[in-house]
Amino acid sequence: ETGVTQSPTHLIKTRGQQVTLRCSSQSGHNTVSWYQQALGQGPQFIFQYYREEENGRGNFPPRFSGLQFPNYSSELNVNALELDDSALYLCASSKGLAGGDTQYFGPGTRLTVL
Amino acid sequence: AQSVTQLGSHVSVSEGALVLLRCNYSSSVPPYLFWYVQYPNQGLQLLLKYTSAATLVKGINGFEAEFKKSETSFHLTKPSAHMSDAAEYFCAVSTIIQGAQKLVFGQGTRLTINP
């Protein structure tokens, strides 16, 4: 069983640029969630995708957007990058939307904005 | 709103000693609670979760946690620390927002093991 994978591992961008991060969900999972983890902090929920639709969003501006594809893989797009966007971006997949469902995390993409 | 508080941003124990990492939750409904571990430069790995089936939950690597409703706590323990346990530990509560299952994490506790 293949786990959650993310690409790229590391990324360096400059302020104002746009970035796309990718995530492949675990086999059998139809739900993908994205989290931002700033240095020294716990992960913060960005949004969740279920069957190709965004079905919940945290306190992040519209310049954070995403997609989910028919194979349940997902992309996170961030426009107009700001210095504070520097963080580890984590993708997690799960089997559904129930409160007790386990979210399985990928290794993350480390984004640095200069 | 549901939240968790992890008491102690850093915990240091000797190898072979008891590990106790504290987590208190706030929830208006019966909670689903999780403990995750994060090794340096890696993602989060599930240690264990509470879904109301049993108050004492056993997880991987010898860890366990006890759900105490009266104390709104879900502390993580391990009887004997190993050097490989050195990592960041996160407690999280699951909440449903706009139909999405969202994990709300604590600030994390960094565990250091002294030889």
Side-chain angles (χ1 to χ4, degrees), chain A residues 82-113:
Chain A
E82 301 178 358
L83 297 180
D84 285 348
D85 296 333
S86 295
L88 181 67
Y89 288 84
L90 295 164
C91 165
S93 74
S94 55
K95 290 184 178 179
L97 303 173
D101 283 343
T102 297
Q103 294 189 12
Y104 294 89
F105 285 80
T109 294
R110 173 75 60 187
L111 173 65
T112 302
V113 182

Side-chain angles (χ1 to χ4, degrees), chain A residues 37-43, chain B residues 6 8-11 21 35-45 47 63 76 84-91 105-112:
Chain A
Q37 185 179 20
L39 201 60
Q41 304 291 321
Chain B
Q6 292 185 240
S9 58
H10 290 90
V11 170
L21 304 183
W35 275 101
Y36 283 88
V37 61
Q38 187 175 35
Y39 298 100
N41 300 312
Q42 295 188 25
L44 277 68
Q45 179 182 9
L47 282 175
F63 284 93
L76 182 71
S84 61
D85 295 327
E88 188 91 20
Y89 292 79
F90 292 95
C91 180
F105 287 88
Q107 291 289 84
T109 298
R110 181 170 300 279
L111 177 64
T112 302

Side-chain angles (χ1 to χ4, degrees), chain A residues 1-18:
Chain A
E1 181 178 271
T2 305
V4 179
T5 61
Q6 293 186 242
S7 63
T9 305
H10 295 89
L11 206 50
I12 299 175
K13 292 286 187 179
T14 56
R15 195 170 45 183
Q17 286 189 309
Q18 177 266 343

Side-chain angles (χ1 to χ4, degrees), chain A residues 22-25 29 32 49 67-75:
Chain A
R22 295 178 174 82
C23 170
S24 291
S25 60
H29 290 185
V32 172
Y49 277 83
L67 286 172
Q68 187 178 32
F69 301 99
N71 66 354
Y72 303 126
S73 65
S74 178
E75 286 182 355

